[in-house]
Amino acid sequence: MDGTVLVADDDRTIRTVLTQALTRAGCKVHATSSLTTLMRWVGEGKGDLVISDVIMPDGNGLEMLPKIGQERPGLPVIVISAQNTIMTAIQAAEAEAYDYLPKPFDLPDLMKRAARALETKRRVGRPREMAPPTGGDTQDDLPLVGRTPQMQALYRLVARVMNADLPVLITGESGTGKSLIARAIHDFSDRRSLPFVIATAADMEGVDGPSALVARARGGSILFDEVADLTEEAQGRIVRMLDSFGDSAPRIMATSQTDLMGRMEAGLFRQDLFYRLGGVTVAVPSLRERVDDIPLLAEHFLGRTDRDGTATRRLAEDAMDLIRAYSWPGNVRQLEHTIRRLVVTSSEEVIARAEVEAVLGNQPEIEPLVGGGDGEKLSASVAKHLRRYFDLHGGVLPPPGLYARILREVEMPLIEIALDATGGNQAKCADLLGINRNTLRKKITDLDIRVTRRRKLM
């Protein structure tokens, strides 16, 4: 790697780590905790790449991107941020950042991106001015937050498709935030000043229904929420409406929690409509697929209690563990309602595990991974679970990183149960598992397994 990198971050540790890693890779590095200093270096012609945090003591790193583009067209900027929301990713894309990474970031991954940025000339062009959303949820209210690889991949996909002239099909289980994704695509697209219309079954009734719907949209966006629930007659009217579009056509988006391809193959959904809606498919992961985001979301919902006029609450550590371990069949919506109920029913500032148990005890839970019939082999049960996981994505591939996610899902309960079986004795646990004791310790740390005095299983 060759070139000069300008690093701007108010965290001294991050500046030190990046300086050491980039220097070892062969780069020259200038590091600062000030955006003012960063902009002075840019104005002086220093640097072949900028790596900048968003929230800095003297300003916002994203707001500096247009100025950097004016001063040095083609200078790539990699944005790193602890604000792991879809809005941050979209804002970084709109400001034409070369790349965006959430904190905590993977250093080898950042180094690879930095190498690509130094080798690739960024296209020249002045970034568009940012405009706020025109309606719907505000950035603070939108619960599309997450730092897991699945959510970061989702953010990047949304940022790429928001101005693409293609229909968007958004798939995912109930409560994952499909309609919020559609709203975000509209609110941060070039159509943001135009109407966002959610179509209903009534809009498809009568000969004039579709034309009236298009007139209401006025070139904005039309969302068909849970399109699989529409009758065959309504589906036919949508097909004819799409075929009649001219130059000022609205953007079409649709959501579905069912497998549209399966319904199409079963003759329950029109084939011509399926292919017209599937220009780009955005698969929204369930909470079970991004377990590490559950504490982040829980804290996000607890933080809303300030605006509701209620004293700020927090979850006890073992209460958070229970929330993290629950399967959440209703996904983000169920989690939000659960946190709201806990805030109302809990009389203490710290919400105890027993209170969480009382609330979750009345709610359904998805059957566990290993729960096959009598005599069913573990491999068959796992294969059945994995097949269902693929089917939930509606004929499209799951987010990247599947191998690591599945291994984590299997390793964590295996090690926890083995620790229970050996009474918490790590030497015996390592021997039982057939791995080195140091390997076991590393896995306990990597998987964030709490090591306490455990009861030996009989």
Side-chain angles (χ1 to χ4, degrees):
M1 200 186 305
D2 183 31
T4 300
V5 182
L6 308 181
V7 176
D9 198 297
D10 61 344
D11 188 322
R12 179 180 296 178
T13 301
I14 290 179
R15 293 199 305 272
T16 301
V17 168
L18 289 179
T19 298
Q20 292 176 348
L22 290 164
T23 301
R24 284 197 299 267
C27 294
K28 295 179 181 179
V29 182
H30 297 289
T32 179
S33 61
S34 166
L35 285 176
T36 302
T37 302
L38 172 65
M39 293 307 298
R40 177 167 56 82
W41 288 341
V42 171
E44 293 172 352
K46 294 180 180 178
D48 303 299
L49 167 67
V50 174
I51 300 177
S52 177
D53 193 5
V54 173
I55 303 301
M56 298 281 281
D58 56 347
N60 185 299
L62 285 176
E63 294 174 357
M64 293 297 106
L65 264 63
K67 296 179 181 178
I68 292 174
Q70 292 172 2
E71 292 275 350
R72 299 272 302 282
L75 177 63
V77 181
I78 296 177
V79 173
I80 55 177
S81 174
Q83 292 185 313
N84 302 307
T85 71
I86 190 171
M87 298 310 176
T88 307
I90 290 175
Q91 287 171 336
E94 282 218 330
E96 297 191 351
Y98 176 84
D99 213 334
Y100 161 75
L101 280 173
K103 289 181 179 179
F105 53 79
D106 179 68
L107 184 58
D109 182 32
L110 176 57
M111 295 297 290
K112 290 178 183 177
R113 294 170 191 263
R116 287 198 297 268
L118 288 169
E119 294 170 0
T120 306
K121 288 186 177 180
R122 185 176 171 221
R123 67 182 180 88
V124 178
R126 183 173 178 177
R128 293 185 303 274
E129 293 294 326
M130 288 293 296
T134 57
D137 293 294
T138 65
Q139 179 174 343
D140 289 337
D141 288 334
L142 198 65
L144 294 170
V145 297
R147 61 170 62 97
T148 54
Q150 299 93 315
M151 287 303 288
Q152 296 302 317
L154 174 66
Y155 296 165
R156 291 191 181 93
L157 178 57
V158 168
R160 288 197 298 270
V161 306
M162 61 187 178
N163 284 317
D165 190 20
L166 290 168
V168 178
L169 176 62
I170 305 169
T171 64
E173 296 179 13
S174 175
T176 52
K178 298 185 295 296
S179 59
L180 294 177
I181 291 289
R183 183 84 216 197
I185 290 174
H186 172 82
D187 284 349
F188 282 84
S189 72
D190 292 338
R191 303 174 190 257
R192 59 173 69 93
S193 62
L194 299 171
F196 177 81
V197 179
I198 300 178
T200 65
D203 291 319
M204 292 294 103
E205 294 178 357
V207 177
D208 298 330
S211 59
L213 179 65
V214 173
R216 282 167 52 204
R218 301 199 315 272
S221 300
I222 297 177
L223 172 65
F224 292 98
D225 202 14
E226 294 304 331
V227 68
D229 294 339
L230 294 175
T231 64
E232 183 177 359
E233 183 180 3
Q235 293 174 29
R237 288 199 173 111
I238 295 175
V239 171
R240 291 189 289 275
M241 179 186 76
L242 297 179
D243 288 345
S244 67
F245 280 168
D247 294 335
S248 59
R251 181 171 203 172
I252 299 298
M253 291 185 278
T255 68
S256 177
Q257 61 178 303
T258 61
D259 178 8
L260 281 187
M261 181 174 287
R263 290 181 66 85
M264 178 189 70
E265 292 173 349
L268 301 175
F269 194 82
R270 290 181 62 117
Q271 185 179 45
D272 49 4
L273 179 57
F274 176 81
Y275 289 114
R276 281 168 173 78
L277 292 177
V280 178
T281 300
V282 176
V284 185
S286 67
L287 278 185
R288 295 183 306 284
E289 297 171 77
R290 54 184 187 112
V291 175
D292 289 342
D293 283 333
I294 292 177
L296 190 68
L297 283 161
E299 291 170 2
H300 175 86
F301 293 132
L302 283 170
R304 285 182 169 178
T305 59
D306 277 337
R307 285 171 292 185
D308 296 337
T310 310
T312 302
R313 306 294 178 84
R314 62 185 177 88
L315 289 157
E317 186 176 350
D318 56 350
M320 184 67 85
D321 289 342
L322 182 58
I323 283 181
R324 196 178 187 278
Y326 184 68
S327 63
W328 300 110
N331 293 289
V332 180
R333 185 181 297 122
Q334 184 190 8
L335 175 60
E336 180 179 16
H337 291 168
T338 298
I339 296 297
R340 286 182 176 178
R341 181 175 173 183
L342 286 168
V343 168
V344 172
T345 59
S346 175
S347 59
E348 302 295 330
E349 180 181 344
V350 179
I351 300 173
R353 179 185 176 97
E355 294 174 283
V356 177
E357 289 175 339
V359 171
L360 293 183
N362 297 322
Q363 300 191 39
E365 188 165 3
I366 289 178
E367 58 187 52
L369 172 65
V370 182
D374 294 338
E376 184 179 44
K377 290 185 178 181
L378 175 62
S379 60
S381 181
V382 172
K384 185 185 298 182
H385 180 83
L386 291 175
R387 175 54 58 191
R388 180 174 179 274
Y389 172 78
F390 273 81
D391 290 344
L392 285 173
H393 285 80
V396 298
L397 292 176
L402 177 62
Y403 186 79
R405 291 200 303 276
I406 296 300
L407 280 186
R408 182 185 178 90
E409 290 292 326
V410 173
E411 276 189 317
M412 182 178 288
L414 174 61
I415 292 174
E416 287 180 335
I417 292 171
L419 282 169
D420 279 334
T422 56
N425 186 313
Q426 293 187 27
K428 289 183 179 179
C429 181
D431 184 60
L432 174 65
L433 295 171
I435 61 177
N436 183 277
R437 187 174 180 181
N438 289 333
T439 301
L440 175 62
R441 286 174 176 167
K442 185 176 186 304
K443 288 185 177 295
I444 288 173
T445 300
D446 293 344
L447 296 170
D448 196 24
I449 295 174
R450 294 180 62 209
V451 180
T452 58
R453 188 178 182 86
R454 295 170 179 265
R455 177 179 59 84
K456 185 174 180 180
L457 298 178
M458 301 302 291

